Amino acid sequence: MNHSRTRAAATALATALTTLALLAGGCTTALSGVRGTPGAAGLRDPYFPKLGNGGYDVRHYALTLAYDPRTGKLDGTAEITARAGQDLSAFNLDLAGLTVGRASVDGEPAAVNRAGNELTLRPREEIREGAEFRTTVTYEGVPEAVTDADGTREGWLRTDDGAVAVGQPVGSMTWFPGNHHPSDKAGYEITLTVPAGLEAVSNGVRTARRTAPDGRVTTVWKAPEPMASYLATVAIGRYRTDTATALGSVPVLTAADPAVAADSAALLDEIPKILDRQTRRFGPYPFTAAGAVVTEDGTLGYALETQTRPVFPASSFDRTTLVHELAHQWFGNSVTPATWRDLWLNEGFATYAEWLYAEEFGHVPARTSFARAFAKDINWTFPPADPPAAENLFDPPVYQRGAMVLHKLRETVGDTVFGEILRGWPAKYRHANASTADFTSYVEAVAGRDLDGLWDVWLYGDGKPDRP
């Protein structure tokens, strides 16, 4: 046997095994001596276990997007600033479709692997726990809409002259890479470039607008307060925009498709008044901007509380729905569910905001709204805090039974304590995430009493009580 060849073979085998270990994502030792492991490819959400990613916390997204409505092509660059929650040898981003051109971490090229909606990046140097790092990903393609389990469409929805992007619960991954679970909130800056003659609207405050020599228009939108990715939005088209001021200093920007602008104008003008009324009920408005987008029917089949600027199809743009989506700015947007199982905290509060508005301005007592909801058998198919599957997340029990929980709480603790809860809950978890357990603990602390009987029947109970 040739010993030199044996040693060479052994060396080659050792090298191959080391390479396989690196690719497999096992513990590795970088030049710096950091022993890192890959971040988890999913956060085990009860309904979307692969959604989101572990090992880091995103602090800020800077998205630079150029869109051509004629071809449907989107060119994007995402700069993602994050803090490592562990020593990282690799980490994942959620991205559906689209083609990744290149990626870097702190300016150095990073290896990229793609498996379905999981984009795995392996930086040249491992990242220490607690370190802040910046990831840049360039990508392009024609974004595709997502059809959810309940049959609704979300994601990047193409229109005749542009697009509307909405992302509840998973559609935001169709137009930018990121950590797309609601538990990882971040600030945003979104720069949009579109052909001449089109408006491009997004979240937050518009800080710049410029026209290039070729006629294309670029706008920059900044949303500094933490935002879950499902609340990010883009609306591109021949929108008519208008501005106002709410609450003394909050800029209000609205946009409406020309086909529905005239019919929408009067209600859009009411946004400052509605916000003023809601601040009296729910406490200080949690954001630095407000507004709404009204689209022509046919693209979007529902209204959505996209942060600072809810989006409505024209057929859903009525006063009740506007009150509902604006209430979400406190309940859902500022206080965001810890998992999708906690969605009733969004929808129950926003539905109860409708009941409160009807009570104050429509002379319909909340008790009457409660009784009407109680009488509908469809509201009793499952408990609001435990939808059976993803396709049930937006079913009536989450909304109507969620509101019934709050009304029974109001009856139990009285109007004074209930008013304290309405204001105190969004104050305690302002710009944070909260679970159902957080809510019940908070309420019992404020009320100074055990409320297990209420939760067992109205929040977690399977059947309809004998009487309301």
Side-chain angles (χ1 to χ4, degrees), residues 75-353:
D75 291 280
T77 299
E79 293 185 4
I80 304 167
T81 302
R83 186 176 299 277
Q86 65 184 61
D87 293 339
L88 284 172
S89 62
F91 59 92
N92 282 27
L93 299 171
D94 303 314
L95 182 66
L98 304 174
T99 300
V100 174
R102 61 185 181 275
S104 65
V105 176
D106 290 332
E108 296 291 334
V112 180
N113 181 58
R114 188 74 177 270
N117 296 337
E118 295 290 339
L119 192 67
T120 303
L121 280 69
R122 186 175 297 278
R124 181 170 293 179
E125 292 286 334
E126 293 180 355
I127 304 167
R128 289 185 180 274
E129 179 180 357
E132 188 170 277
F133 62 99
R134 188 183 75 257
T135 301
T136 303
V137 180
T138 61
Y139 56 99
E140 64 179 14
V142 177
E144 296 184 3
V146 174
T147 299
D148 294 326
D150 62 1
T152 57
R153 295 174 73 247
E154 56 160 328
W156 190 274
L157 307 177
R158 194 171 175 182
T159 65
D160 291 339
D161 60 354
V164 178
V166 290
Q168 191 183 51
V170 301
S172 50
M173 70 170 72
T174 65
W175 57 282
F176 68 96
N179 196 356
H180 289 293
H181 190 269
S183 61
D184 194 0
K185 300 166 69 170
Y188 280 71
E189 179 175 294
I190 301 177
T191 302
L192 303 169
T193 299
V194 297
L198 300 183
E199 291 286 346
V201 178
S202 189
N203 311 84
V205 177
R206 184 171 60 192
T207 61
R209 180 185 175 94
R210 53 185 179 268
T211 302
D214 64 0
R216 293 196 303 169
V217 178
T218 298
T219 52
V220 180
W221 300 84
K222 290 187 178 180
E225 298 91 0
M227 178 166 70
S229 62
Y230 80 88
L231 297 169
T233 190
V234 169
I236 298 170
R238 300 185 186 281
Y239 288 96
R240 295 180 185 174
T241 62
D242 198 5
T243 59
T245 301
L247 307 171
S249 61
V250 176
V252 178
L253 186 143
T254 60
D257 185 279
V260 299
D263 292 337
S264 305
L267 187 53
L268 287 171
D269 288 344
E270 289 189 33
I271 289 176
K273 292 181 181 178
I274 294 173
L275 289 177
D276 181 65
R277 293 164 183 157
Q278 290 183 331
T279 57
R280 284 183 252 144
R281 285 280 194 178
F282 310 141
Y285 181 67
F287 301 109
T288 52
V293 175
V294 184
T295 71
E296 191 175 16
D297 287 329
T299 301
L300 186 64
Y302 50 87
L304 186 63
E305 64 270 20
T306 43
Q307 194 154 301
T308 69
R309 198 152 286 115
V311 179
F312 305 81
S315 58
S316 297
F317 189 59
D318 55 63
R319 186 171 287 99
T320 298
T321 308
L322 180 58
V323 166
H324 181 107
E325 305 305 339
L326 291 178
H328 272 310
Q329 306 309 308
W330 284 264
F331 306 107
N333 295 11
S334 179
V335 184
T336 303
T339 74
W340 283 109
R341 179 168 284 155
D342 304 303
L343 184 65
W344 82 274
L345 289 169
N346 296 21
E347 302 303 345
F349 269 104
T351 301
Y352 201 71

Side-chain angles (χ1 to χ4, degrees), residues 344 384 401-409 454-455 458-459:
W344 82 274
R401 276 195 68 181
M404 280 190 267
V405 171
L406 297 175
H407 189 74
K408 294 305 291 186
L409 174 62
L454 189 155
W455 310 134
W458 298 97
L459 186 55

